[in-house]
Each structure stands twice: as C-alpha cells, then as structure tokens.
Amino acid sequence: MKPLALLFALAGTAALADTTLLNVSYDPTRELYQDVNAAFAKAWKAKTGETVTINQSHGGSGKQARAVIDGLEADVATLALGYDVDALHQKGKLIPADWQKRLPNQSAPYTSTIVFVVRKGNPKQIHDWDDLLKPGVLVVTPNPKTSGGARWNYLAAWGSALRKNGGDEAKARDFVTQLYRQVPILDSGARGATTTFGQRNIGHVLLAWENEAFLLTQELGKDRFEIITPSVSILAEPPVTVVDRYADKHGTRKVAQAYLDFLYTPEGQAIVAKHHFRPRTGAQPERPQLFTIDEVFGGWTKAQQTHFADRGVFDQIYEGGK
Amino acid sequence: MSALPFTRRAGVLPGYGLSLGITLFTVCLMVLLPLTALIVKASGVDWSDFSTSITGPRARAAFALSVGASLAAALVNGVFGTLVAWVLVRYRFFGRRVLDALVDLPFALPTAVAGIALATVYGQDGWLGSLLEPHGISVAYTRLGVTVALVFVGLPFVVRTVEPVLHELDPKVEEAAATLGASRVATFFRVIFPTFAPALLTGVSLAFARGLGEYGSIIFISGNMPLRTEIVPLLIVTKLEQYDYAGATAVAVVMLAVSFALLLLVNLFQARVRRARGLR
C-alpha cells in the first residue's frame, strides 16, 4: 500500500503546483476563450507564480449543460443562455439558486445581439424586422427547439414586434408565425444555419449572433455578405458561473473565480471586443435599441415555458392549434 | 425444437460452458444493461406524459417519416445492394477491389460528414441538385432527401450479408438448371433467389433498423421542418434539449420496441425457413 500512497501524494502535489481548469462553453466562443485562456494564464502566473492550464470544451449550449449535469466535471461553465445555467442548479444541484447575482451584470461579462446577414448589395432591400415578411423573402434561422442561438433569434423577433405594436401579444404572434412560414429549413444548430446560408446559398437573410455575423463576413468574404442592424433587437447575455460542486472537489474555486473575474478586467474586455462580442464597458452603438429577456419575457424560465416547451407557442405555429 | 434451451449437445470441441458464459456476460453488459436502464427510466414516467409524448401530431408525423423512409430505403438497398453483391462476387473487372472497399465506406464515415456531403451534392447549387431542381425535383431538405441519406448509410448492410451467400452459390447449379430447360428468369427466381433470400431479408431488416436510428446524416439533409421532415431521433434530441428526459425516454422506448420486434420477427422467420429446408 505504501508506495501507492506515496504515488498519490506525489500526484497531489503535482496538481497543486500545476492547476488545471475545465471551461465548458458553447460553440461560437472557441476563438474567444483561446485568447482569454492564454492571457489569463499569463496574468495568473505574474500574480501568484502558479501555472494554470485551462482546457475548453465546446458544443451546443444545452448539450454542454447536460454533459456537466451528467458528470463532466467543469470548473466553470460559460453557456449561451441563462436557462442552461439554471439547469445546472435545477437539475444538477451543482450551483446555488442565486448564481446569477454572484458576478456583475447578471453574471454576463459580455453581450451580443441578433442581427441580419444579407447577400452583397442587399438585393431584397432588408433594413428592419418588417422587411423580413416581404413576399418571397426566405429567412434562415435554426430550430429553437434544438439550438440556444435560435431561441435568441425567435425572442428578438417576438420582442421587436411587441415594441412596434405597443405590446400587442397577438400581433407579435402573427409576426413570428408569418416569419417562420418564410423559413425553408430549420438547422439543428447556429453553425448549421450559417453553413446553409453561406455555403449552400439558401435564403435571403440569415438571423445570427452579431459575433457570428462578423465571423461569416470575415471568413467567407466581405464582398459576399453585408450585416444589417435592425432598429430594435434583443440584448443577448451569455452567462458565466463557477460550478461550485466540481470546483470545490478539485480545490480550484479560487483560480476559477479569478478566471471569471478576469473577463471583467480591461484586458478581458478588450479580448471580448476583439472577438466581436460586446464588452460591458465603453460606449455602446446606438443601433439597435436593445431590450432584455427579463424586461420583455420575464426571464428565461418563463420564456422557455411559454414559447419552446412541448405544445408551446413555437409548436403551435407549426401544429396550427391554439 | 424439442431440445431444452440449455441442454448440452455433445460437440467435438470443448468450451460450451465457457463460451456461452462469456457470450451471455458480454451481451448483458454491452446490450442489455443500457437498454434495461432505459426501460427502468421509462417505467418512472407518468403514463399520460408517456402517451402525449408519443401521440402528438409531431410525434406521429415523425414516426411515419422515420418508418416510411427507412422502409423505402431498405427496399431500394435490397434491390441495388443485391446487384452490387452479385457483381462483386461473379465478375472480375478492373477496380473490383476498389469498389469492394467503397461499399464499406458508409460504415466508416462519420454520419455527419455523409449528411453534409449529400446536402452539398443535392442542394440547389450542388452537382446533382442543380440538374434536378429545374425539373422540379428537390432532394435536399425533403423527405426524398431523408430516404437518399438512408440508402447511403444502409447499403453496406445488404451487400455484406448477401455477398457471402452468393459466394457459396456454385455456378454449376445454374448450369444444371439451364440444361434441365429452365428459362433465365426461372433460374433466377426458382434456383438462385431462394438461396440468398434469407440473407437478403437479414440485410434489409438490418438496413431498416439502422435507418430508424440514424441521426447524424439526416439532420443535415432533412431541413428538420416540423410535421414534414422531422425524424424520430431529432424528436428525442429536441426533448433532451428541454431537459425532458421522460419524454425523450418515452419516444426512445417506442423506437426500441419497434426495432426489437422487427429483428425478432426476422430471426423467427429465418429459423422457420431453415427448418423447412431441413437445415437443423
């Protein structure tokens, strides 16, 4: 037994000197966190002398949350929507109920919004939400039942229609119903929708995260696409949290906390801006006017129940019933 | 038939107990255990939840599409897979080995890659899509597309089950039939076909079962439109996305029951055929 115990002791000290964090995140943050990880490791080394290695895992936001609930031992979770982080509390009891109050800005160190991508020259003359309903316009957006990003798109459309019609729910519902009649394909994820629009040339407008829209125009060429910012859109706030149960188990709470705090520092915010997310500090552009999910929908849990649960509004749009 | 299932038959080689033990252990561990977990999970589901999960209009449409497209694809594979197997066994030609290896590719290829490739080829700007669309034939993002993808993933099942049987088939038998005055059609249907029919049935049912469960390639080519091109596995993923484990389990159990009933039926049928021919 003795040599074995020694081995464990050695492994223990090695782990102390060389901390590893696992950040479980969603799809479009891959490049962002690569930069953040390198910068944080450097800052942490300078501050404490400890070497920290951060591993990242990416996938659909809901799938990632389920993986953590089912035992993927993430020290921090940085997901696409509050609903998925809430699940870490409600389904997994991994974090406390008040997780969202533990960091500034509802625990969302960066934001994004939903914009339109159109083909160069904007042949269908699309400038705002109403233009999406012009006859013959095909809109590409993924399936809100399977994609977190798609849920933001849907809620952006609903909320902007509410604003235009003075809060008339029936009009908002008509708008969204008509909008989805003009959606030819519901990809299962946001990247799939980007491919459908960008590579397969399907549709006239792509509804996308602002950061994805920038990525698309930069990667597939500025001469092929244009970004159109609508007058009103939703403030997407992808939240971050320490996963208490696993961080405590690994003894990494302090560094995990510092890692998330780093996102709020000027250096962290600069990296966020570089990757086309919106930093919390500094001037915000005038267009679009932003509304939050709490203001319009009363939070994620309620929005999810009303719109995306089985036989919710989204299902009714397709099934026809009320 | 009259022998008890566990009665030992005297064999030339030893190891009956050991090999049966290992077999049962492996099957239990690798197949039965996860499936039992599924059933246990389903048994905790409220019956009314269970039935609403599987009888809604979307669920019914998805079941119809999954079963229909899988069946259509399996039948197409039954015809063309047999032809491919025949060609591979009977003819020697340049590139036969390459063709032989190609047949297995759908086994090896990640299904997502297959789906993306098919959507590219059959999309409105794709090689085939650009030829078909002007004639009003849409493949990508339609039910036809789902079937095409299932033909792709199912082909090797038919080829690889029929091939060895055709290999065993001595051409002399056909010659004998011909000398006895059988027409070519009669030779095929009365001499050749009955020999490989059981294997063909196995291959087709394997392809069908595979089609029911296929997810990766379909979601890229189907368009995932509710009531039109939504398949059952997508429904399961959709429910998981809402943390609705119970609903997902309910759908999964129905899928499982359909697949199992089908495979069992095929196995029983084959056992009957074999007995009828006096092969044990």
Side-chain angles (χ1 to χ4, degrees):
Chain A
M1 269 328 263
K2 245 187 176 167
L4 205 60
L6 186 70
L7 197 69
F8 278 125
L10 278 176
T13 53
L16 268 185
D18 207 2
T19 316
T20 306
L21 284 186
L22 175 60
N23 175 5
V24 170
S25 193
Y26 61 110
D27 263 328
T29 55
R30 200 177 308 260
E31 295 80 11
L32 167 69
Y33 279 111
Q34 267 163 15
D35 274 10
V36 168
N37 293 348
F40 172 72
K42 215 169 131 202
W44 188 250
K45 177 106 187 163
K47 195 176 156 204
T48 64
E50 286 172 20
T51 306
V52 57
T53 315
I54 299 130
N55 296 320
Q56 38 188 132
S57 159
H58 296 271
S61 185
K63 201 180 298 163
Q64 294 289 81
R66 268 199 315 286
V68 174
I69 291 167
D70 292 341
L72 177 64
E73 299 197 350
D75 301 280
V76 297
T78 55
L79 298 174
L81 18 117
Y83 177 69
D84 289 326
V85 180
D86 254 347
L88 297 184
H89 162 67
Q90 289 186 0
K91 311 277 166 183
K93 301 274 171 273
L94 301 171
I95 57 174
D98 66 343
W99 63 270
Q100 201 150 19
K101 298 203 171 66
R102 296 194 294 181
L103 285 168
N105 304 107
Q106 296 85 47
S107 290
Y110 45 85
T111 66
S112 188
T113 187
I114 302 301
V115 298
F116 307 158
V117 182
V118 297
R119 305 200 185 277
K120 188 73 189 175
N122 198 357
K124 294 277 176 182
Q125 288 300 306
I126 287 153
H127 304 288
D128 212 340
W129 289 99
D130 286 341
D131 298 329
L132 298 181
L133 300 193
K134 281 182 184 171
V137 170
L138 294 178
V139 183
V140 176
T141 176
N143 191 337
K145 304 279 276 188
T146 51
S147 155
R151 270 171 244 169
W152 285 114
N153 292 351
Y154 173 103
L155 295 174
W158 188 283
S160 65
L162 265 187
R163 283 260 160 128
K164 273 221 169 98
N165 296 297
D168 188 336
E169 290 275 345
K171 290 227 168 87
R173 187 190 175 112
D174 287 346
F175 178 82
V176 171
T177 303
Q178 187 54 42
L179 180 65
Y180 278 88
R181 295 246 158 84
Q182 293 177 223
V183 175
I185 293 154
L186 290 167
D187 281 289
S188 61
R191 279 277 158 98
T194 307
T195 311
T196 296
F197 179 80
Q199 312 266 18
R200 287 201 229 306
N201 280 325
I202 287 172
H204 307 107
V205 199
L206 171 74
L207 305 187
W209 295 89
E210 191 175 42
N211 53 301
E212 280 282 284
F214 273 104
L215 210 64
L216 176 67
T217 48
Q218 281 175 358
E219 296 221 329
L220 294 174
K222 273 199 159 64
D223 50 334
R224 293 187 50 204
F225 306 105
E226 281 176 34
I227 296 177
I228 304 290
T229 314
S231 62
V232 183
S233 193
I234 197 163
L235 179 68
E237 298 176 292
V240 301
T241 184
V242 171
V243 184
D244 299 64
R245 165 128 28 116
Y246 296 133
D248 288 342
K249 183 177 166 192
H250 303 157
T252 51
R253 178 183 279 276
K254 215 176 102 197
V255 55
Q257 188 63 50
Y259 177 67
L260 296 186
D261 288 340
F262 180 77
L263 293 168
Y264 290 89
T265 62
E267 193 185 355
Q269 293 281 297
I271 297 172
V272 159
K274 191 182 129 201
H275 289 279
H276 308 293
F277 287 88
R278 294 184 171 201
R280 284 295 193 172
T281 51
Q284 299 287 327
E286 263 176 41
R287 198 180 158 100
Q289 283 175 24
L290 297 169
F291 56 85
T292 69
I293 185 160
D294 291 347
E295 284 162 21
V296 177
F297 300 94
W300 260 112
T301 310
K302 207 162 157 231
Q304 176 77 28
Q305 271 310 319
T306 313
H307 293 277
F308 309 120
D310 278 356
R311 286 169 299 284
V313 177
F314 181 75
D315 280 357
Q316 291 166 19
I317 286 176
Y318 281 96
E319 290 176 0
K322 273 232 166 182
Chain B
M1 184 61 197
S2 60
L4 291 168
F6 286 99
T7 307
R8 181 165 176 183
R9 196 187 297 240
V12 180
L13 291 174
Y16 170 82
L18 184 66
S19 57
L20 183 66
I22 293 177
T23 302
L24 287 179
F25 178 74
T26 315
V27 169
C28 285
L29 186 72
M30 304 308 291
V31 181
L32 227 47
L33 195 68
L35 294 185
T36 311
L38 182 70
I39 307 277
V40 167
K41 196 138 195 172
S43 65
V45 179
D46 189 344
W47 176 248
S48 68
D49 282 358
F50 190 95
S51 60
T52 49
S53 298
I54 57 172
T55 55
R58 279 177 76 182
R60 272 182 286 141
F63 275 109
L65 174 64
S66 272
V67 172
S70 300
L71 195 64
L75 292 178
V76 170
N77 275 331
V79 175
F80 290 99
T82 305
L83 188 64
V84 171
W86 180 263
V87 166
L88 284 176
V89 168
R90 279 304 167 88
Y91 304 122
R92 293 291 170 270
F93 53 92
F94 180 75
R96 189 179 69 95
R97 293 277 172 209
V98 178
L99 182 68
D100 201 12
L102 275 179
V103 167
D104 283 334
L105 261 191
F107 272 149
L109 207 63
T111 51
V113 176
I116 292 170
L118 287 170
T120 306
V121 169
Y122 288 102
Q124 55 181 8
D125 296 337
W127 295 334
L128 291 176
S130 58
L131 298 177
L132 292 172
E133 294 274 345
H135 302 286
I137 306 169
S138 306
V139 178
Y141 314 116
T142 65
R143 291 174 181 171
L144 185 58
V146 176
T147 313
V148 168
L150 291 178
V151 169
F152 179 85
V153 296
L155 183 69
F157 288 93
V158 176
V159 177
R160 292 305 178 219
T161 45
V162 171
E163 200 182 357
V165 180
L166 289 181
H167 216 84
E168 294 297 309
L169 191 69
D170 195 334
K172 287 190 185 108
V173 177
E174 294 147 47
E175 286 160 17
T179 49
L180 290 172
S183 69
R184 287 174 177 180
V185 177
T187 308
F188 179 80
F189 282 105
R190 309 203 43 192
V191 178
I192 303 173
F193 184 73
T195 39
F196 75 79
L200 178 63
L201 185 65
T202 306
V204 168
S205 54
L206 282 176
F208 175 74
R210 176 77 168 82
L212 282 181
E214 176 62 16
Y215 175 72
S217 62
I218 309 291
I219 53 160
F220 290 102
I221 199 173
S222 74
N224 308 320
M225 298 304 282
L227 297 173
R228 287 202 286 126
T229 57
E230 211 172 36
I231 52 167
V232 175
L234 179 73
L235 219 58
I236 296 178
V237 173
T238 300
K239 289 188 184 299
L240 285 177
E241 204 67 28
Q242 302 162 41
Y243 303 99
D244 178 9
Y245 290 82
T249 313
V251 178
V253 163
V254 174
M255 285 287 274
L256 191 69
V258 171
S259 302
F260 185 70
L262 183 90
L263 295 175
L264 192 68
L265 215 67
V266 167
N267 274 342
L268 289 176
F269 178 73
Q270 295 207 335
R272 269 183 73 146
V273 169
R274 270 203 301 272
R275 264 202 313 281
R277 293 198 188 153
L279 307 162
R280 284 217 274 170

